[in-house]
Amino acid sequence: MRPKALAIGCAALATAVVLSGCGSGTTSGGKTKLTIGLFGNFGYAELLKEYASTHPDVEITDRTASYSDHHKNLAAHLATNNGAADIEAVDTGYINQFKATPDKFVDFNTKGGDQLEDRWLPWKWEASLSKDGKQIGYGTDIGGLAICYRRDLLQKAGLPADRDQVAALWPTWQDFIAAGKRFQTNAPEGVKWFDGGPTVLNAIVGQASVGYYDKSDKITVGDNKEIKAGWDLVVDGVQAGLSAKLLYSTPVWNTGFKQGQFATVTCPAWQMAKIKDQAPDAAGKWDVTSVPGGGGNWGGSYLTVPKQGKNVDKAVELAAWLTAPEQQARVFTTSGLLPSTPKLYDDPAIVGYKNPFFNDAPVGKLFTDAAKKLQPQYQGPKAGDIQTAIGNAMQRVEQGKQNGEESWRQFVADVQK
């Protein structure tokens, strides 16, 4: 899915019933205890309560960590064969890394998964298949791309607020930066055009024909002209004073939403839940429109079941239920996470869904249209780590520690090591 929550530790968040530890097993009442490890708001709170109520022999708890910590912890738990949750979420940026060791996970194809393949977009199913054909993950959401923006802040700066007129401001990313320069000349005091360079850059990278890796798992960043052009464009925006200099998925970024410190933010579908969580009093002020360049993807996740669990069959059953079309539809209408189930893209209840928090934006049509056009980008083994590294590199520019070229050269050198 996405880097969102920052609560770290075993008991970061308890859902459904009492959290009584990190391991799986049975409780004193004889129930099967299942844990699910997440890294943000997957929209599962009510679903887990419902599942527990219809399966009285099961007790479910979740633990939520930051994006980076979650994946680092999972790698450590797999290496030591101890400490993993019964179900572990894995982001698209890390799925290649983990499917390289399929022996650490339950092969869903041996548990009936081969009969469920048609649930998912073909590329979503294939992305979590190991080279020897083992299926380690059931797909949750896909990212898609849009732009979320503050209507009131654009109006105060003399720009239009209507979502169609706003989209017309930025058919390309160059136009997006140009619109930001117009905004900044009359911006409300203390407000910047976008939250931070790394967020904008991630969207541009997500639209590239080739990302951080080619399909032979060769790292491309040293000679990837699309990514370098995107880097240069965002650096130009940073130098023009358009950035609030906030790194996504950090406490100060969360505060930025609360205080209205920026007017636009790159908005994969899952971002809507983040905005609503962090700025609940801003309902109606936010809106959603199409992204510059059209299409693209940022994020999307999978549910895996590590073999070290004590109750793998019941964990597999829960993972299959959570990722079924019915549950994916409910997660979309409650939390905004875009389903990876194509049968839903023509469902009137999904296509016609408007989000009241975002000024009744027609997010159902906007994101399902984006999903139909989405051309999946290959993700190499350490794509998530490279995404973190390029974000840190852009932060060095924003903080004045290096200029754009210096930081780019260090980024490339660091990645190639």
Side-chain angles (χ1 to χ4, degrees), residues 227-251:
I227 294 178
K228 182 57 164 59
W231 169 273
D232 291 341
L233 182 63
V234 176
V235 168
D236 175 60
V238 168
Q239 292 175 338
L242 309 187
S243 175
K245 304 179 182 180
L246 305 176
L247 182 62
Y248 58 83
S249 193
T250 60

Side-chain angles (χ1 to χ4, degrees), residues 3-261:
K4 299 203 305 185
L6 282 173
I8 300 173
C10 172
L13 178 65
T15 308
V17 286
V18 177
L19 181 62
S20 56
C22 278
S24 60
T26 58
T27 68
S28 58
K31 292 186 177 183
T32 299
K33 183 173 66 173
L34 297 177
T35 55
I36 179 169
L38 306 172
F39 51 90
N41 183 355
F42 276 64
Y44 286 166
E46 294 304 315
L47 291 179
L48 293 178
K49 290 179 182 178
E50 176 184 320
Y51 192 87
S53 70
T54 58
H55 295 73
D57 61 326
V58 174
E59 178 181 293
I60 308 169
T61 61
D62 70 344
R63 63 201 203 202
T64 303
S66 70
Y67 176 80
S68 180
D69 285 339
H70 170 84
H71 291 94
K72 288 179 181 177
N73 292 341
L74 177 55
H77 294 322
L78 295 176
T80 60
N81 200 37
N82 182 59
D86 295 286
I87 298 174
E88 291 278 5
V90 173
D91 179 73
T92 186
Y94 283 92
I95 195 65
N96 269 22
Q97 174 182 335
F98 289 113
K99 75 179 187 183
T101 55
D103 57 306
K104 299 290 186 180
F105 298 92
V106 172
D107 176 7
F108 286 146
N109 282 337
T110 67
K111 303 289 185 180
D114 55 343
Q115 303 301 309
L116 303 178
E117 178 179 349
D118 290 344
R119 281 183 176 180
W120 290 278
L121 292 160
W123 63 264
K124 185 73 172 180
W125 174 263
E126 292 165 7
S128 49
L129 278 174
S130 68
K131 290 183 178 180
D132 57 356
K134 294 183 174 66
Q135 181 52 271
I136 73 158
Y138 283 155
T140 59
D141 62 319
I142 58 176
L145 283 175
I147 295 289
C148 291
Y149 67 96
R150 282 282 298 265
R151 298 172 57 87
D152 56 328
L153 298 179
L154 266 65
Q155 287 176 318
K156 288 178 180 178
L159 297 181
D162 173 81
R163 62 182 68 96
D164 291 335
Q165 292 178 331
V166 171
L169 291 174
W170 54 56
T172 69
W173 285 106
Q174 290 80 4
D175 294 322
F176 178 80
I177 296 299
K181 292 176 181 178
R182 286 177 54 194
F183 172 85
Q184 217 62 62
T185 60
N186 295 299
E189 185 177 357
V191 178
K192 298 297 184 178
W193 180 235
F194 54 79
D195 57 326
T199 317
V200 178
L201 186 58
N202 279 341
I204 296 174
V205 171
Q207 293 178 340
S209 57
V210 177
Y212 299 128
Y213 287 85
D214 65 21
K215 291 185 178 179
S216 68
D217 282 339
K218 176 187 175 183
I219 295 175
T220 69
V221 294
D223 51 13
N224 190 317
K225 294 181 179 179
E226 288 181 274
I227 294 178
K228 182 57 164 59
W231 169 273
D232 291 341
L233 182 63
V234 176
V235 168
D236 175 60
V238 168
Q239 292 175 338
L242 309 187
S243 175
K245 304 179 182 180
L246 305 176
L247 182 62
Y248 58 83
S249 193
T250 60
V252 292
W253 186 64
N254 295 339
T255 300
F257 283 112
K258 293 180 176 70
Q259 297 182 352
Q261 295 177 12

